[in-house]
Amino acid sequence: MLLHAIATAAVGSVLTLTASQVAHAAPAAPAAPAAPAAPTGTWTHPTTIHHRISAPYGIRGTWHAGHHTGIDLAVRPGTRVRSVGSGTVVLARRSGAYGKAVTIRMKDGRYTLFGHLSRITVRPGQKVHARTRLGYSGATGRATGPHLHFEVRKSRRYGTDINPLAYLAKHGVRLTSRTFAR
């Protein structure tokens, strides 16, 4: 038993010595390129739960613009909806086909719109940050079932929409057809 303990200690010392010798003899390897930084908390997903994109951006349809101006996230009614970044609420009321909706002027000058809400919990003029609760999902307005309509616009005007997936990706937030929100 004593011999086994001495042998184990000796092997450990040899391995330690060999490893330190190798470290001093080998030139330092160049550092690998850094991975893209994770979102710093200034941008996030529009919901806190698992969601599926049920209607993608740009599909042709009977909308006034001739195409779907945002994405639809299939979520249960009453799902918390939150701001994806910092900005100021410019609309928080019923808004035509969008039903109960919230529009935020983001700090970068773009506008994010959250439609078909069952309840709104913010007011115009209110400053919001990423993760600020805006309301709860529903099926108000022109909707065939409960979901969250999320769109991004260059200005407040209808028809100035841009791809919301690309917009969020630019800010480090990835949405895919099946996303687990954080």
Side-chain angles (χ1 to χ4, degrees), residues 1 7 16 30 41 43 54 56-57 63 79 81 91 104 108 115 118 121-122 125 129 134 150 154 160 163 166 170:
M1 188 102 134
T16 303
W43 292 88
S54 58
Y57 173 72
W63 299 279
T79 297
V81 174
L91 179 136
I104 300 170
D108 65 2
S118 63
T121 58
V122 291
H129 303 284
L134 306 174
F150 174 70
K154 293 178 187 176
T160 62
N163 186 332
K170 177 182 158 189

Side-chain angles (χ1 to χ4, degrees), residues 21-32:
Q21 288 174 338
V22 169
H24 288 297

Side-chain angles (χ1 to χ4, degrees), residues 69-82:
T69 55
I71 58 172
D72 289 347
L73 303 177
V75 293
R76 290 188 172 132
T79 297
R80 288 182 181 184
V81 174
R82 61 191 186 171

Side-chain angles (χ1 to χ4, degrees), residues 2-80:
L2 180 60
L3 183 58
H4 178 66
I6 293 171
T8 303
V11 169
S13 297
V14 170
L15 291 177
T16 303
L17 181 61
T18 305
S20 66
Q21 288 174 338
V22 169
H24 288 297
T40 60
T42 57
W43 292 88
T44 193
H45 295 95
T47 67
T48 58
I49 65 159
H50 173 270
H51 51 263
R52 177 180 57 84
I53 297 175
S54 58
Y57 173 72
I59 59 172
R60 296 284 164 211
T62 59
W63 299 279
H64 184 68
H67 68 274
H68 195 226
T69 55
I71 58 172
D72 289 347
L73 303 177
V75 293
R76 290 188 172 132
T79 297
R80 288 182 181 184

Side-chain angles (χ1 to χ4, degrees), residues 120-141:
I120 297 170
T121 58
V122 291
R123 64 190 182 288
Q126 183 177 337
K127 303 284 186 202
V128 295
H129 303 284
R131 297 177 183 79
T132 298
R133 185 178 41 208
L134 306 174
Y136 298 90
S137 65
T140 59

